[in-house]
Amino acid sequence: MNKQKLYRGLSVVLALALWQVVAMKVNMEMLLASPVQAVSRLWAVIREPEFFSTVLYSFVRITLGFVLAFFLGLGFGLLAGRFRIVEHLLWPYVVTVKTVPVASFIILCLIWLDFTQLTVLIAFLIAFPVIYSNVLTGIRSTDQKMKEMARLYKMPWGKQLLYIDLPSVKPYLLSASMVSVGMAWKAGVAAEVIGIVNGSIGEKLYESKVYFMNADLLCWTVVIILINVLTEKLIVFLLKKIFAGVEKL
Amino acid sequence: MSDIVLTNVQKNYGGKTALRPFSHTFEEGKITCLMGASGCGKTTLLKILAGFEAPDLGTVQGIPESIAFVFQEDRLCEDFSALSNIRMVCGKRKSKEEIIRHLTELGLKDEANKPVRTFSGGMKRRIAIARAILYDADLLLLDEPFKGLDEQMRKTVMDYVLRYTQGKTVLCVTHDEAEAEFMGAEIVHLAGKREEKVE
């Protein structure tokens, strides 16, 4: 274990200890459950029959929204990098999605859509502009000397995309994916809370608020964090594998 | 294909002369070495011939359709293998076996499938040269192609270039007269310094 990991581990232990001390001082589970109470509640929640179906419900919808945002953000980003007109046409939508509060979208979606589609759409709306903007920045940062070389050797657009544009986009896409998957989870669960989506993690959070079950709130928060971290790691792993495959072409 | 005729070609960047008025006829199928002090416009001239830059004054005639260029900075796709870097410009015109044969001639047989980012400067140079040669262009522009190669390798690479450019028009920028002599090239000296102000 290197020193940085050791220090991080120690800070987490310290933060948990501080939380435990504050919870003991407050001494009211309804206001602030202690980490020990949250973990024991988590253990109980995991063993409940609907736990996996609840997690799966939110996971499938948020991941679907993110995957849609990933492919559309990548596709439109590459197109906008190639054709300025695409960038101009998309500009009002991207700016709107970036600036309008997510709560406004959630309420609009609740008016227009079936609540089962809400999570997918909100996760998509939050992740799309991040991925699109980063892909576009990546394309714009492509070494112009490499583009000059490609033109000289009359490389078709597909080859330029594969050999010159994608390697430039790679670091931007990786960081955008890491950031936006977390944002998709936050916004997706927020949408489920506001929409009180049946059978979702958001519904569990809503119930914990209504019934003042602070330990439940914290244990579901831990579940969200864990799934979020795992999803992020999985996505980065898959992307690196795909890029490694492309580089072997 | 025909001779390449430059008439009073001139280029300035931001009020500074990059290439003083230059006229010359580069004969078809001949090797010409461009020499001159740093900043006299040798690279600018190659860029004009490649179509990357337009001359401010003068005319350029007889530029062929297909041009290959060995750039000073190699301009290779670092994440991809030597083989991929060559295939991406040659397409299906060259077989894998032929590319490997060329890389073998340049002492890179075992490196064909390794990513370029792991290579030394000299190895990258040789891949850039192999890429330009295998592209089979009518005009080959070489900007200090042997820089960074040791004496032995320089001879090997010069031999390689000579062998595969028979009958092609080659323009090579160099600071080394011995290189020009070895290649049996016509030597053209460019005059002028970039620092000179344009009126």
Side-chain angles (χ1 to χ4, degrees), chain A residues 227-243:
Chain A
I227 301 168
N228 187 356
V229 169
L230 286 176
T231 316
E232 187 187 304
K233 299 259 181 227
L234 179 71
I235 285 164
V236 170
F237 172 79
L238 287 175
L239 279 178
K240 283 187 175 170
K241 279 270 168 209
I242 290 168
F243 276 114

Side-chain angles (χ1 to χ4, degrees), chain A residues 6-222:
Chain A
L6 181 72
Y7 290 142
R8 280 189 180 173
L10 282 174
S11 349
V12 171
V13 172
L14 268 175
L16 287 171
L18 181 69
W19 176 10
Q20 181 70 34
V21 169
V22 174
M24 282 162 73
K25 265 271 188 243
V26 173
N27 198 22
M28 199 184 284
E29 193 188 326
M30 203 171 70
L31 280 182
L32 181 65
S34 69
V36 174
Q37 286 165 329
V39 169
S40 74
R41 186 69 194 116
L42 178 65
W43 181 239
V45 164
I46 287 172
R47 285 182 297 166
E48 282 172 10
E50 76 267 29
F51 173 76
F52 286 104
S53 65
T54 305
V55 168
L56 197 66
Y57 186 97
S58 297
F59 176 79
V60 167
R61 279 157 182 79
I62 292 170
T63 306
L64 182 61
F66 170 79
V67 169
L68 282 173
F70 178 86
F71 284 109
L72 288 175
L74 176 63
F76 279 114
L78 292 174
L79 275 175
R82 170 85 173 134
F83 308 105
R84 281 267 177 194
I85 184 75
V86 177
E87 186 186 356
H88 293 312
L89 285 172
L90 284 177
W91 182 77
Y93 305 103
V94 174
V95 168
T96 306
V97 174
K98 270 183 181 171
T99 50
V100 171
V102 67
S104 308
F105 276 121
I106 294 170
I107 293 162
L108 273 176
C109 292
L110 281 171
I111 297 167
W112 293 337
L113 300 170
D114 182 342
F115 72 86
T116 54
Q117 300 163 336
L118 174 73
T119 318
V120 180
L121 190 71
I122 294 301
F124 168 79
L125 284 175
I126 288 301
F128 175 79
V130 180
I131 290 169
Y132 167 80
S133 305
N134 273 274
V135 169
L136 190 55
T137 310
I139 288 271
R140 296 263 185 267
S141 69
T142 304
D143 187 351
Q144 287 311 302
K145 287 183 173 177
M146 291 301 289
K147 297 293 255 185
E148 226 173 42
M149 179 278 290
R151 275 199 303 276
L152 182 90
Y153 286 115
K154 299 186 174 69
M155 280 169 72
W157 183 57
K159 278 192 174 176
Q160 289 189 39
L161 193 72
L162 187 69
Y163 293 111
I164 296 168
D165 293 330
L166 273 183
S168 298
V169 165
K170 181 178 153 182
Y172 292 89
L173 190 61
L174 280 172
S175 71
S177 302
M178 282 163 72
V179 170
S180 60
V181 76
M183 288 166 69
W185 266 96
K186 282 180 193 167
V189 171
E192 288 174 347
V193 173
I194 297 173
I196 321 170
V197 179
N198 247 342
S200 69
I201 294 177
E203 189 198 25
K204 298 289 176 196
L205 290 179
Y206 178 79
E207 282 172 359
S208 66
K209 178 209 132 190
V210 171
Y211 301 113
F212 294 102
M213 295 188 296
N214 197 271
D216 275 40
L217 171 70
L218 294 174
C219 101
W220 278 107
T221 306
V222 170

Side-chain angles (χ1 to χ4, degrees), chain B residues 46-116:
Chain B
L46 293 194
K47 284 181 178 173
I48 290 170
L49 291 168
F52 299 158
E53 303 276 359
D56 294 330
L57 287 171
T59 57
V60 181
Q61 289 169 313
I63 297 288
E65 260 292 296
S66 94
I67 303 167
F69 202 139
V70 175
F71 305 94
Q72 268 187 33
E73 328 83 1
D74 299 325
R75 303 195 191 182
L76 298 167
C77 297
E78 295 273 323
D79 292 333
F80 293 86
S81 67
L83 194 63
S84 296
N85 266 280
I86 296 170
R87 288 183 107 171
M88 71 178 72
V89 301
C90 295
K92 288 175 183 165
R93 286 183 294 130
K94 300 288 172 187
S95 67
K96 185 180 172 183
E97 290 69 32
E98 191 173 359
I99 297 170
I100 299 276
R101 188 165 53 75
H102 277 253
L103 290 174
T104 307
E105 284 188 51
L106 293 169
L108 293 166
K109 188 188 174 190
D110 297 331
E111 324 300 329
N113 291 307
K114 293 179 186 164
V116 165

Side-chain angles (χ1 to χ4, degrees), chain B:
Chain B
M1 249 179 52
S2 58
D3 293 346
I4 297 168
V5 184
L6 282 81
T7 314
N8 281 321
V9 172
Q10 190 182 342
K11 184 75 187 172
N12 308 310
Y13 292 115
K16 287 186 177 176
T17 305
L19 177 66
R20 296 179 81 182
F22 177 77
S23 299
H24 190 80
T25 298
F26 296 104
E27 281 183 55
E28 180 195 335
K30 290 272 172 66
I31 301 177
T32 308
C33 279
L34 298 169
M35 299 187 75
S38 295
C40 70
K42 301 184 292 294
T43 299
T44 304
L45 182 60
L46 293 194
K47 284 181 178 173
I48 290 170
L49 291 168
F52 299 158
E53 303 276 359
D56 294 330
L57 287 171
T59 57
V60 181
Q61 289 169 313
I63 297 288
E65 260 292 296
S66 94
I67 303 167
F69 202 139
V70 175
F71 305 94
Q72 268 187 33
E73 328 83 1
D74 299 325
R75 303 195 191 182
L76 298 167
C77 297
E78 295 273 323
D79 292 333
F80 293 86
S81 67
L83 194 63
S84 296
N85 266 280
I86 296 170
R87 288 183 107 171
M88 71 178 72
V89 301
C90 295
K92 288 175 183 165
R93 286 183 294 130
K94 300 288 172 187
S95 67
K96 185 180 172 183
E97 290 69 32
E98 191 173 359
I99 297 170
I100 299 276
R101 188 165 53 75
H102 277 253
L103 290 174
T104 307
E105 284 188 51
L106 293 169
L108 293 166
K109 188 188 174 190
D110 297 331
E111 324 300 329
N113 291 307
K114 293 179 186 164
V116 165
R117 63 170 178 268
T118 61
F119 293 174
S120 69
M123 288 158 89
K124 288 179 185 175
R125 203 97 265 260
R126 282 178 273 159
I127 294 163
I129 290 169
R131 177 178 69 181
I133 294 288
L134 279 156
Y135 186 64
D136 247 347
D138 296 324
L139 171 62
L140 182 63
L141 304 171
L142 308 169
D143 199 352
E144 299 186 39
F146 313 116
K147 203 169 127 185
L149 301 175
D150 63 51
E151 202 52 46
Q152 184 61 41
M153 188 49 73
R154 188 179 294 212
K155 285 209 170 107
T156 306
V157 176
M158 279 197 284
D159 266 335
Y160 169 81
V161 170
L162 282 176
R163 197 160 49 250
Y164 289 102
T165 52
Q166 296 291 322
K168 292 182 190 290
T169 311
V170 180
L171 266 70
C172 175
V173 167
T174 180
H175 289 284
D176 188 347
E177 228 159 294
E179 273 179 14
E181 278 173 27
F182 186 90
M183 294 177 82
E186 176 194 0
I187 298 175
V188 174
H189 285 275
L190 267 75
K193 291 261 183 188
R194 180 173 291 191
E195 291 74 25
E196 285 176 24
K197 282 272 182 191
V198 178
E199 291 302 317

